[in-house]
Amino acid sequence: MVWYEEFLDYKIVIGTTNSNQEAIDTINKYSGGHSASIITKNDSVAQEFMENVDTAAVYQNASTRFTDGGQFGLGGELAISTDKLHQRGPIGLQHLVTNKWYIYGHGQIR
């Protein structure tokens, strides 16, 4: 099933749903937790989507290609992971939490 695939290429999967909740449920089931985007003019629908999708970065009306340590002001990336959490190996208490980034745009692409 294509929803479980990770392309690591310039490819995209676009699907339609019958409700915002169905979109949230689909993303939470199949996503790796990296990033998700909603394209809508309805700010309340977007906010519900962004608060309930279980990803590290959520976007309204902007490209998920901005999900990058340099773009977020965190400096250069030493390694790349498409998971929600990037920590591996022994970790301290400060690494047991994660941030969720909210990005609001007007059609920006990278």
Side-chain angles (χ1 to χ4, degrees):
M1 179 184 279
V2 72
W3 294 108
Y4 282 119
E5 291 184 33
E6 186 172 337
F7 299 119
L8 300 176
D9 199 351
Y10 293 114
K11 295 180 181 180
I12 187 171
V13 174
I14 298 175
T16 59
T17 60
N18 294 316
S19 69
N20 198 25
Q21 188 60 52
E22 186 179 344
I24 292 165
D25 293 343
T26 300
I27 291 169
N28 287 342
K29 180 176 181 178
Y30 296 109
S31 170
H34 187 264
S35 56
S37 181
I38 184 169
I39 309 301
T40 182
K41 293 180 181 179
N42 187 324
D43 291 339
S44 63
V45 167
Q47 196 64 34
E48 177 189 5
F49 175 87
M50 295 172 81
E51 289 174 357
N52 290 286
V53 169
D54 187 19
T55 59
V58 287
Y59 295 80
Q60 178 184 357
N61 300 331
S63 170
T64 60
R65 291 186 68 203
F66 288 105
T67 311
D68 176 272
Q71 293 293 314
F72 288 168
L74 303 173
E77 294 182 345
L78 301 176
I80 296 173
S81 172
T82 56
D83 294 332
K84 183 175 180 184
L85 296 174
H86 297 268
Q87 300 296 333
R88 300 290 185 270
I91 58 175
L93 183 59
Q94 72 271 23
H95 299 112
L96 294 177
V97 296
T98 184
N99 296 315
K100 184 168 183 176
W101 299 82
Y102 288 76
I103 300 90
Y104 301 91
H106 300 283
Q108 288 88 345
I109 59 172
R110 183 171 182 202

